[in-house]
Short mmCIF file of all heavy atoms in Angstrom, two decimals:
data_model
loop_
_atom_site.label_atom_id
_atom_site.label_comp_id
_atom_site.label_asym_id
_atom_site.label_seq_id
_atom_site.Cartn_x
_atom_site.Cartn_y
_atom_site.Cartn_z
N GLU A 1 -24.48 -61.79 9.94
CA GLU A 1 -24.44 -61.22 8.67
C GLU A 1 -25.67 -61.64 7.79
O GLU A 1 -26.25 -60.68 7.14
CB GLU A 1 -23.12 -61.58 7.93
CG GLU A 1 -21.89 -60.98 8.61
CD GLU A 1 -20.54 -61.40 7.98
OE1 GLU A 1 -20.58 -61.64 6.82
OE2 GLU A 1 -19.59 -61.45 8.72
N MET A 2 -25.98 -62.86 7.67
CA MET A 2 -26.98 -63.33 6.82
C MET A 2 -28.31 -62.72 7.31
O MET A 2 -29.07 -62.22 6.52
CB MET A 2 -26.99 -64.86 6.87
CG MET A 2 -25.80 -65.52 6.17
SD MET A 2 -25.88 -67.30 6.06
CE MET A 2 -26.67 -67.87 7.50
N ARG A 3 -28.68 -62.89 8.63
CA ARG A 3 -29.98 -62.42 9.02
C ARG A 3 -30.14 -60.89 9.03
O ARG A 3 -31.16 -60.51 8.53
CB ARG A 3 -30.15 -62.90 10.50
CG ARG A 3 -30.26 -64.48 10.61
CD ARG A 3 -30.33 -64.86 12.05
NE ARG A 3 -31.61 -64.52 12.59
CZ ARG A 3 -31.94 -64.59 13.89
NH1 ARG A 3 -30.88 -64.87 14.79
NH2 ARG A 3 -33.12 -64.40 14.26
N LEU A 4 -29.13 -60.18 9.36
CA LEU A 4 -29.24 -58.73 9.48
C LEU A 4 -29.24 -58.16 7.91
O LEU A 4 -29.91 -57.14 7.71
CB LEU A 4 -28.07 -58.25 10.24
CG LEU A 4 -28.14 -58.45 11.73
CD1 LEU A 4 -26.94 -58.08 12.42
CD2 LEU A 4 -29.37 -58.01 12.43
N GLU A 5 -28.58 -58.70 7.16
CA GLU A 5 -28.60 -58.32 5.65
C GLU A 5 -29.94 -58.51 5.11
O GLU A 5 -30.41 -57.49 4.44
CB GLU A 5 -27.55 -59.30 4.87
CG GLU A 5 -27.64 -58.89 3.29
CD GLU A 5 -26.67 -57.72 2.92
OE1 GLU A 5 -25.67 -57.54 3.53
OE2 GLU A 5 -27.04 -57.09 1.97
N LYS A 6 -30.55 -59.58 5.43
CA LYS A 6 -31.93 -59.75 4.91
C LYS A 6 -32.91 -58.83 5.54
O LYS A 6 -33.81 -58.24 4.84
CB LYS A 6 -32.50 -61.19 5.21
CG LYS A 6 -31.78 -62.29 4.35
CD LYS A 6 -32.32 -62.24 3.03
CE LYS A 6 -31.76 -63.31 2.20
NZ LYS A 6 -31.93 -63.10 0.71
N THR A 7 -32.72 -58.47 6.78
CA THR A 7 -33.56 -57.42 7.51
C THR A 7 -33.31 -56.01 6.79
O THR A 7 -34.36 -55.41 6.46
CB THR A 7 -33.12 -57.40 8.95
OG1 THR A 7 -33.35 -58.59 9.49
CG2 THR A 7 -33.97 -56.39 9.71
N ALA A 8 -32.13 -55.71 6.67
CA ALA A 8 -31.95 -54.28 6.00
C ALA A 8 -32.41 -54.34 4.52
O ALA A 8 -33.03 -53.24 4.16
CB ALA A 8 -30.40 -54.02 6.03
N GLU A 9 -32.21 -55.39 3.91
CA GLU A 9 -32.64 -55.40 2.44
C GLU A 9 -34.24 -55.34 2.42
O GLU A 9 -34.80 -54.60 1.61
CB GLU A 9 -32.16 -56.81 1.88
CG GLU A 9 -32.58 -57.00 0.36
CD GLU A 9 -32.14 -58.32 -0.19
OE1 GLU A 9 -31.47 -59.10 0.45
OE2 GLU A 9 -32.38 -58.45 -1.40
N TYR A 10 -34.87 -56.14 3.30
CA TYR A 10 -36.37 -56.06 3.34
C TYR A 10 -36.83 -54.61 3.63
O TYR A 10 -37.72 -54.12 3.04
CB TYR A 10 -36.90 -57.00 4.39
CG TYR A 10 -38.37 -57.05 4.46
CD1 TYR A 10 -39.11 -57.92 3.61
CD2 TYR A 10 -39.08 -56.16 5.38
CE1 TYR A 10 -40.48 -57.92 3.76
CE2 TYR A 10 -40.35 -56.27 5.47
CZ TYR A 10 -41.10 -57.04 4.58
OH TYR A 10 -42.52 -57.07 4.57
N ALA A 11 -36.14 -53.96 4.68
CA ALA A 11 -36.65 -52.63 5.11
C ALA A 11 -36.47 -51.69 3.92
O ALA A 11 -37.26 -50.88 3.57
CB ALA A 11 -35.71 -52.20 6.27
N ALA A 12 -35.34 -51.80 3.15
CA ALA A 12 -35.01 -50.84 2.06
C ALA A 12 -36.01 -51.10 0.98
O ALA A 12 -36.68 -50.11 0.31
CB ALA A 12 -33.60 -50.98 1.59
N ASN A 13 -36.34 -52.38 0.62
CA ASN A 13 -37.22 -52.68 -0.50
C ASN A 13 -38.76 -52.37 -0.15
O ASN A 13 -39.45 -52.35 -1.15
CB ASN A 13 -37.07 -54.22 -0.87
CG ASN A 13 -35.83 -54.60 -1.56
OD1 ASN A 13 -35.09 -53.81 -2.02
ND2 ASN A 13 -35.36 -55.75 -1.50
N ASN A 14 -39.06 -52.27 1.04
CA ASN A 14 -40.44 -51.98 1.48
C ASN A 14 -40.56 -50.51 2.00
O ASN A 14 -41.53 -50.19 2.77
CB ASN A 14 -40.91 -53.01 2.49
CG ASN A 14 -41.08 -54.35 1.80
OD1 ASN A 14 -42.14 -54.60 1.14
ND2 ASN A 14 -40.03 -55.25 1.83
N ASN A 15 -39.59 -49.67 1.69
CA ASN A 15 -39.76 -48.27 1.99
C ASN A 15 -39.80 -47.97 3.52
O ASN A 15 -40.41 -46.94 3.86
CB ASN A 15 -40.84 -47.61 1.29
CG ASN A 15 -40.74 -47.72 -0.26
OD1 ASN A 15 -39.60 -47.40 -0.72
ND2 ASN A 15 -41.77 -48.14 -0.94
N PHE A 16 -39.10 -48.74 4.36
CA PHE A 16 -39.06 -48.46 5.72
C PHE A 16 -37.92 -47.28 5.97
O PHE A 16 -37.02 -47.33 5.20
CB PHE A 16 -38.73 -49.64 6.48
CG PHE A 16 -39.75 -50.68 6.63
CD1 PHE A 16 -39.92 -51.70 5.73
CD2 PHE A 16 -40.65 -50.58 7.77
CE1 PHE A 16 -40.99 -52.59 5.90
CE2 PHE A 16 -41.67 -51.41 7.85
CZ PHE A 16 -41.92 -52.40 6.96
N ASP A 17 -38.04 -46.60 6.94
CA ASP A 17 -36.93 -45.57 7.20
C ASP A 17 -35.75 -46.20 7.88
O ASP A 17 -34.61 -45.75 7.89
CB ASP A 17 -37.41 -44.43 8.22
CG ASP A 17 -38.54 -43.68 7.49
OD1 ASP A 17 -38.61 -43.47 6.32
OD2 ASP A 17 -39.49 -43.23 8.17
N GLY A 18 -35.99 -47.31 8.63
CA GLY A 18 -34.93 -47.98 9.43
C GLY A 18 -35.22 -49.32 9.88
O GLY A 18 -36.26 -49.82 9.56
N PHE A 19 -34.45 -49.82 10.66
CA PHE A 19 -34.68 -51.19 11.30
C PHE A 19 -33.80 -51.44 12.48
O PHE A 19 -33.01 -50.53 12.90
CB PHE A 19 -34.02 -52.29 10.16
CG PHE A 19 -32.56 -52.19 10.01
CD1 PHE A 19 -31.77 -53.16 10.60
CD2 PHE A 19 -31.95 -51.34 9.25
CE1 PHE A 19 -30.51 -53.18 10.44
CE2 PHE A 19 -30.60 -51.33 9.04
CZ PHE A 19 -29.84 -52.28 9.73
N THR A 20 -34.24 -52.46 13.22
CA THR A 20 -33.50 -52.84 14.46
C THR A 20 -33.62 -54.36 14.53
O THR A 20 -33.97 -55.04 13.45
CB THR A 20 -34.04 -52.30 15.71
OG1 THR A 20 -33.23 -52.43 16.83
CG2 THR A 20 -35.50 -52.80 15.91
N THR A 21 -33.27 -54.93 15.49
CA THR A 21 -33.19 -56.50 15.60
C THR A 21 -33.53 -56.89 17.02
O THR A 21 -33.17 -56.37 18.03
CB THR A 21 -31.88 -57.13 15.24
OG1 THR A 21 -31.97 -58.44 15.41
CG2 THR A 21 -30.71 -56.48 15.88
N THR A 22 -34.23 -58.03 17.11
CA THR A 22 -34.72 -58.63 18.36
C THR A 22 -33.42 -59.25 19.03
O THR A 22 -33.44 -59.61 20.11
CB THR A 22 -35.73 -59.67 18.33
OG1 THR A 22 -35.34 -60.65 17.30
CG2 THR A 22 -37.05 -59.05 17.81
N LEU A 23 -32.18 -59.45 18.30
CA LEU A 23 -31.05 -59.97 18.84
C LEU A 23 -30.50 -59.03 19.94
O LEU A 23 -29.88 -59.59 20.90
CB LEU A 23 -29.98 -60.09 17.78
CG LEU A 23 -30.16 -61.17 16.70
CD1 LEU A 23 -29.14 -60.96 15.60
CD2 LEU A 23 -30.06 -62.62 17.32
N LEU A 24 -31.01 -57.85 19.90
CA LEU A 24 -30.50 -56.84 21.07
C LEU A 24 -31.34 -57.09 22.33
O LEU A 24 -30.90 -56.46 23.32
CB LEU A 24 -30.76 -55.45 20.50
CG LEU A 24 -29.96 -55.02 19.34
CD1 LEU A 24 -30.33 -53.69 18.78
CD2 LEU A 24 -28.52 -55.13 19.65
N TYR A 25 -32.22 -57.96 22.45
CA TYR A 25 -32.87 -58.34 23.63
C TYR A 25 -32.06 -59.31 24.45
O TYR A 25 -32.21 -59.25 25.72
CB TYR A 25 -34.23 -58.83 23.36
CG TYR A 25 -35.02 -59.57 24.55
CD1 TYR A 25 -35.54 -58.67 25.43
CD2 TYR A 25 -35.10 -60.81 24.61
CE1 TYR A 25 -36.23 -59.17 26.50
CE2 TYR A 25 -35.77 -61.34 25.76
CZ TYR A 25 -36.41 -60.47 26.74
OH TYR A 25 -36.92 -61.04 27.84
N SER A 26 -31.14 -60.11 23.80
CA SER A 26 -30.58 -61.26 24.54
C SER A 26 -29.16 -60.79 25.11
O SER A 26 -28.49 -60.11 24.61
CB SER A 26 -30.24 -62.31 23.50
OG SER A 26 -29.58 -63.34 24.09
N ARG A 27 -29.11 -61.33 26.31
CA ARG A 27 -27.79 -61.20 27.02
C ARG A 27 -26.66 -61.93 26.47
O ARG A 27 -25.58 -61.72 26.82
CB ARG A 27 -27.99 -61.49 28.52
CG ARG A 27 -28.88 -60.61 29.40
CD ARG A 27 -28.96 -61.09 30.81
NE ARG A 27 -29.67 -60.22 31.62
CZ ARG A 27 -30.00 -60.29 32.92
NH1 ARG A 27 -29.51 -61.38 33.44
NH2 ARG A 27 -30.63 -59.48 33.45
N TYR A 28 -27.11 -62.86 25.56
CA TYR A 28 -26.06 -63.79 25.08
C TYR A 28 -25.49 -63.30 23.73
O TYR A 28 -24.63 -64.02 23.21
CB TYR A 28 -26.70 -65.25 25.00
CG TYR A 28 -27.18 -65.71 26.28
CD1 TYR A 28 -28.51 -65.87 26.59
CD2 TYR A 28 -26.35 -66.07 27.39
CE1 TYR A 28 -28.98 -66.25 27.83
CE2 TYR A 28 -26.79 -66.57 28.64
CZ TYR A 28 -28.17 -66.62 28.80
OH TYR A 28 -28.48 -67.14 30.01
#
């Protein structure tokens, strides 16, 4: 929640269209 919220907030504040996360690389 903490990390992804910051990611989405940064994307919105910097006029990005979207976001993803490197967490999706991990099998764990």
Side-chain angles (χ1 to χ4, degrees):
E1 291 175 30
M2 291 184 323
R3 293 174 74 195
L4 296 171
E5 175 86 32
K6 289 289 185 191
T7 301
E9 182 181 359
Y10 182 89
N13 289 341
N14 289 278
N15 300 314
F16 287 91
D17 295 328
F19 68 102
T20 191
T21 174
T22 58
L23 291 170
L24 297 173
Y25 172 74
S26 176
R27 290 182 177 177
Y28 302 108

